[in-house]
Amino acid sequence: NEELRAVVILIVAWMNFTLALAGLLKFLPIIYLFVLSAWRPPSDSDLIWSVDLISDTYLIVLVWLIVAFGLKKASGHAMIFPWR
């Protein structure tokens, strides 16, 4: 039973880490547009799409924090990086 609990905690920790990575990857299009704007102004539709893509990032952070605190309570230590 304890082994199953440890495996479930580890799986949830990896899923939470993947969620954090996905949240960071959402910023790549807007970073690309900022870099590209040095050569030409970005189109309005590209800029609107990029900003819309990151507009719900606070929800990802909220879910990540809730799961991180749940993992800390369940495992006894912070599992931000699951391989530690």
Side-chain angles (χ1 to χ4, degrees):
N1 195 10
E2 275 303 308
E3 285 182 26
L4 178 62
R5 183 175 185 266
V7 169
V8 168
I9 288 173
L10 190 60
I11 289 171
V12 171
W14 274 104
M15 290 171 58
N16 205 36
F17 179 73
T18 305
L19 178 67
L21 286 180
L24 290 174
L25 288 175
K26 288 176 65 166
F27 284 89
L28 285 180
I30 200 154
I31 292 169
Y32 173 74
L33 283 180
F34 285 142
V35 170
L36 191 63
S37 69
W39 291 280
R40 66 168 178 84
S43 70
D44 289 341
S45 62
D46 288 345
L47 190 58
I48 290 170
W49 177 77
S50 296
V51 171
D52 184 51
L53 186 64
I54 62 171
S55 65
D56 62 347
T57 304
Y58 70 95
L59 294 172
I60 290 177
V61 171
L62 180 65
V63 170
W64 184 84
L65 283 172
I66 290 170
V67 173
F69 284 124
L71 284 170
K72 175 143 176 61
K73 186 171 176 75
S75 69
H77 61 282
M79 297 188 71
I80 296 172
F81 301 108
W83 58 86
R84 289 186 174 196

